[in-house]
Amino acid sequence: MQKLVTIFAIATSLAFPASAAEFGMASYYSYPHKSGLIAAHRTLPFGTQVRVTNLDNGRTAVVRIVDRGPFIRGRVIDVSIPAAAALGFRQAGVAHVRLEKL
């Protein structure tokens, strides 16, 4: 039975890689306790680094998860103001993004 579980775990990891992308809308917010390229995500562990790609203009930034959120339907990540500027959507307020866990 243990061999079967091990084989299933290996097969599952090959079929569903850990770096699967997540797609959705991003917005930005101000987090007064930390600065830099940081973000909030609902489920990723704190300290996780995520590559965020703005699908509207192709810009990318690597952010670190330090908070929980966003709490608005359809949004997958809230990034800091500097990250929104690096991704080129500070003026627009939201962007279509792809997230890749690093």
Side-chain angles (χ1 to χ4, degrees):
M1 181 68 173
Q2 189 175 15
K3 280 186 178 181
L4 183 62
V5 171
T6 304
I7 291 169
F8 179 76
I10 292 170
T12 304
S13 68
L14 294 174
F16 302 103
S19 63
E22 184 177 355
F23 294 86
M25 295 295 290
S27 54
Y28 69 89
Y29 77 123
S30 175
Y31 188 67
H33 305 292
K34 297 192 186 273
S35 61
L37 299 179
I38 59 172
H41 190 275
R42 287 186 197 95
T43 59
L44 289 174
F46 291 149
T48 301
Q49 289 192 327
V50 178
R51 177 181 294 116
V52 182
T53 303
N54 183 338
L55 299 175
D56 299 327
N57 63 18
R59 290 175 148 186
T60 64
V62 175
V63 299
R64 187 170 38 92
I65 304 299
V66 298
D67 198 9
R68 291 288 170 231
F71 299 108
I72 297 175
R73 182 177 290 208
R75 305 232 177 122
V76 294
I77 195 165
D78 277 338
V79 299
S80 63
I81 293 172
L87 291 165
F89 74 88
R90 185 160 181 222
Q91 187 88 18
V94 294
H96 296 92
V97 295
R98 177 180 63 226
L99 307 180
E100 298 169 283
K101 184 178 164 186
L102 301 179

